[in-house]
Amino acid sequence: MGGHALKNYGVKRVDKVAYERIRDIALSKLSVACIQCDVPYSLEDKADFGDVDILCIIRPEFQATWKQWLQDTFQPRAILHNDNVWSFNIEDLQIDAITTSQENWSVYFNFLCWGDLSMTMGRIARLWDLKYGIFGLEFPVRDGETNHVIDTLPISKDTAKIFAFMGYDYSRWKLGFKTADELRDYLFSSPRIHRGFLDAASEATKHRKRDHNRPVFKSWYEWFETHKDQFPDKADLPLPQTTADKLAYVEEAFPESNIREKYAIVQKRIADFSAARNKFSGKHIQELFPELQARRFGAYMELWTRQWATKEEQVAYILSHDVAHLTELAHMIRKNLI
């Protein structure tokens, strides 16, 4: 998205008349192969456009041949595929067909509306270490040592409830926005906005550089810099501090999420994985068979893990058998290694 995927294939920005004509052509043809397809809402006062974003749910009978169907239908100069986005051109305008499922349609569509709005609103969710994105509101579970996300727990796909949680009036959002100032005023209308809302510490370096190259976000940032004194310090917001308190706060707002139970299950899985790794892992096997190096060791470990259908089954097996049995099993696998 953004109109850059096909920059080497002659695409360019077009005026509003050309944009609307090409958009309608794309929607009409995509509707043949899609259960649902639509263009997210945007401000009406744009003079030109670099691409058309179209959210799509592909019909089952077209999923296996989707790329070929795009090629046959639109005859583009190129089709580039990045995750769930298929970029191609109609005339000189880039089309981004963004695929999703029926389950995620509503929350995904709403997230894409009004340009950078949802992405920027998502910073409020981080007050509770949550993520607001194309799959709704989620709780990322991080490794205590590396801080890497090891699982993501779903909380809600209900946009109205998510907006209320973050301090926004969803009924106002549904009325739409005609000007950039209306959009800006809505963004900063939440009582959760604090003085560090758009500061460097609130975003990773990579995303921060990307955001400041986006004209609308840049204008919001400049406005905020001159008005931030009217917002409270983050420390003045009534925020839960511990993970347990954050989970309780979230579950009170979204009781249907059962977020504390889900979190406990993940924590048990993490503990079990750690216990299994400490009890009998690849390191232990390498100590048993030091002659196995590089590819030979890799081939052995493939035979070892192939005994179980899932990682969870492997962990359960290791935890339920003593080391003597696991060592005997390891030697049996060694005999089968050619």
Side-chain angles (χ1 to χ4, degrees):
M1 295 181 286
H4 302 300
L6 300 180
K7 62 182 179 182
N8 296 325
Y9 295 91
V11 298
K12 60 185 180 182
R13 299 188 72 83
V14 301
D15 62 30
K16 187 172 183 178
V17 173
Y19 167 83
E20 291 179 346
R21 176 177 58 81
I22 295 172
R23 176 201 63 196
D24 292 346
I25 291 171
L27 285 171
S28 177
K29 292 186 176 183
L30 285 168
S31 65
V32 173
C34 295
I35 297 170
Q36 197 167 0
C37 59
D38 206 351
V39 176
Y41 308 137
S42 62
L43 292 176
E44 298 177 358
D45 59 359
K46 291 181 66 174
D48 55 29
F49 300 79
D51 64 353
V52 184
D53 292 336
I54 304 179
L55 191 63
C56 306
I57 303 175
I58 306 172
R59 297 181 187 278
E61 61 269 30
F62 287 89
Q63 290 178 0
T65 58
W66 176 244
K67 183 175 182 180
Q68 189 60 52
W69 184 86
L70 291 175
Q71 181 64 48
D72 294 343
T73 303
F74 295 101
Q75 297 292 311
R77 298 174 198 139
I79 299 175
L80 300 184
H81 180 206
N82 182 15
D83 196 15
N84 66 321
V85 181
W86 297 79
S87 300
F88 58 94
N89 67 287
I90 296 179
E91 299 177 20
D92 292 331
L93 182 61
Q94 177 175 314
I95 309 297
D96 288 329
I98 308 163
T99 59
T100 189
S101 64
Q102 193 72 61
E103 176 190 12
N104 291 313
W105 169 269
S106 179
V107 70
Y108 203 149
F109 183 84
N110 289 346
F111 186 84
L112 293 177
C113 288
W114 310 113
D116 298 334
L117 179 64
S118 295
M119 176 192 68
T120 310
M121 286 169 53
R123 294 179 178 221
I124 292 179
R126 296 178 204 157
L127 292 171
W128 301 275
D129 293 330
L130 306 179
K131 176 184 177 182
Y132 172 54
I134 60 176
F135 301 115
L137 192 64
E138 301 174 300
F139 191 102
V141 181
R142 298 181 179 274
D143 184 285
E145 296 180 2
T146 66
N147 203 40
H148 291 158
V149 175
I150 56 179
D151 205 346
T152 304
L153 307 179
I155 296 172
S156 178
K157 297 182 186 296
D158 186 329
T159 303
K161 292 191 68 173
I162 295 170
F163 273 37
F165 179 80
M166 295 194 297
Y168 288 101
D169 181 354
Y170 184 57
S171 62
R172 169 64 189 90
W173 182 94
K174 289 195 295 182
L175 294 175
F177 307 93
K178 293 183 178 180
T179 68
D181 285 351
E182 284 186 11
L183 201 58
R184 180 203 64 207
D185 291 345
Y186 184 77
L187 171 65
F188 292 108
S189 67
S190 169
R192 312 279 195 266
I193 302 292
H194 56 89
R195 293 178 188 176
F197 180 60
L198 297 184
D199 285 354
S202 71
E203 186 69 320
T205 301
K206 175 183 175 182
H207 292 164
R208 189 165 65 251
K209 289 180 179 178
R210 175 205 63 194
D211 292 347
H212 283 270
N213 286 328
R214 300 170 73 98
V216 173
F217 182 89
K218 186 177 180 180
S219 71
W220 291 343
Y221 183 85
E222 291 170 351
W223 181 90
F224 187 62
E225 283 297 291
T226 62
H227 294 81
K228 64 167 51 179
D229 287 347
Q230 73 186 53
F231 298 97
D233 286 328
K234 181 178 178 181
D236 294 333
L237 298 178
L239 298 171
Q241 298 302 309
T242 67
T243 298
D245 288 344
K246 290 173 185 176
L247 289 168
Y249 186 90
V250 170
E251 190 158 309
E252 183 177 359
F254 302 94
E256 70 281 4
S257 70
N258 296 317
I259 191 65
R260 284 185 285 189
E261 179 182 346
K262 293 175 184 174
Y263 184 81
I265 291 171
V266 171
Q267 290 301 310
K268 183 180 185 307
R269 185 167 78 244
I270 293 171
D272 287 348
F273 274 44
S274 178
R277 187 167 56 247
N278 291 332
K279 183 177 181 179
F280 203 84
S281 66
K283 179 181 178 182
H284 297 89
I285 292 173
Q286 199 161 37
E287 291 173 353
L288 286 174
F289 312 117
E291 73 279 8
L292 297 179
Q293 296 294 324
R295 291 185 179 180
R296 290 277 287 165
F297 181 70
Y300 177 91
M301 290 305 297
E302 185 177 349
L303 289 176
W304 173 258
T305 57
R306 198 183 296 170
Q307 300 174 95
W308 301 280
T310 65
K311 186 68 176 176
E312 285 75 14
E313 287 183 14
Q314 180 182 350
V315 167
Y317 188 92
I318 291 173
L319 293 179
S320 61
H321 292 81
D322 59 33
V323 173
H325 172 82
L326 296 170
T327 302
E328 182 182 353
L329 182 60
H331 279 283
M332 289 176 59
I333 297 297
R334 178 68 178 89
K335 291 177 182 179
N336 294 329
L337 184 66
I338 299 175

